[in-house]
Amino acid sequence: MPTLPVPYPFAIPPRTPDVNAVEAWQTALDDSGELSPDVVDRILKLHGERGAKAIEAVAEERVKEYNDFTVVVGHEDEYVVEDGACQCRDAQYNLDADDPTALCWHVIAVHIAERVGKVDYHDMWYSDVREFL
């Protein structure tokens, strides 16, 4: 029996994450500098509840930048976002590391806050602040 070449000519290619959707709302924010209804809609369609939580955190000025880290203040804890990554449980256990659109709400909030000028900057080290918490 002859073997078919791999990959099969009729094979469905694997789904690749739509990183362009993330870049689209980020570019729109870069261009406008504000959360327009169109950008909010894009974020919510792509990120759902995580996007809504991120928008809420930005509106409530809960994205804080220190000399060493950016921190998103949650309702129960503070979450360090560094180099576009977060160590929260959602990011560790629920998100596909191979999907660039799979972001926790803390990372989404940082992306939004940076682009709309809503990062609350503190000229101090978070590691020093953390000692008081």
Side-chain angles (χ1 to χ4, degrees):
M1 175 183 269
T3 59
L4 294 174
V6 178
Y8 301 113
F10 53 85
I12 298 171
R15 181 187 175 278
T16 55
D18 188 7
V19 69
N20 291 334
V22 175
E23 292 173 354
W25 68 254
Q26 290 176 343
T27 300
L29 276 178
D30 287 337
D31 293 344
S32 69
E34 65 181 12
L35 274 169
S36 67
D38 174 58
V39 175
V40 169
D41 188 51
R42 289 182 194 197
I43 292 169
L44 295 177
K45 281 183 179 176
L46 184 62
H47 300 292
E49 185 180 335
R50 289 182 181 103
K53 285 182 177 182
I55 292 168
E56 178 183 319
V58 172
E60 294 175 356
E61 299 180 0
R62 293 189 279 130
V63 178
K64 316 285 184 188
E65 185 175 338
Y66 297 90
N67 293 331
D68 45 358
F69 300 113
T70 302
V71 175
V72 179
V73 179
H75 296 291
E76 297 177 17
D77 203 355
E78 294 187 349
Y79 302 91
V80 173
V81 176
E82 184 176 26
D83 298 325
C86 183
Q87 294 299 315
C88 69
R89 287 187 180 131
D90 190 29
Q92 290 177 351
Y93 300 112
N94 299 328
L95 300 177
D96 180 357
D98 295 329
D99 181 354
T101 65
L103 305 171
C104 70
W105 69 268
H106 313 108
V107 170
I108 298 167
V110 171
H111 285 303
I112 294 169
E114 289 175 344
R115 287 170 168 81
V116 298
K118 291 290 187 176
V119 176
D120 184 15
Y121 180 73
H122 299 272
D123 188 16
M124 56 193 340
W125 300 97
Y126 179 69
S127 53
D128 292 338
V129 172
R130 189 69 182 162
E131 291 176 11
F132 298 111
L133 299 178

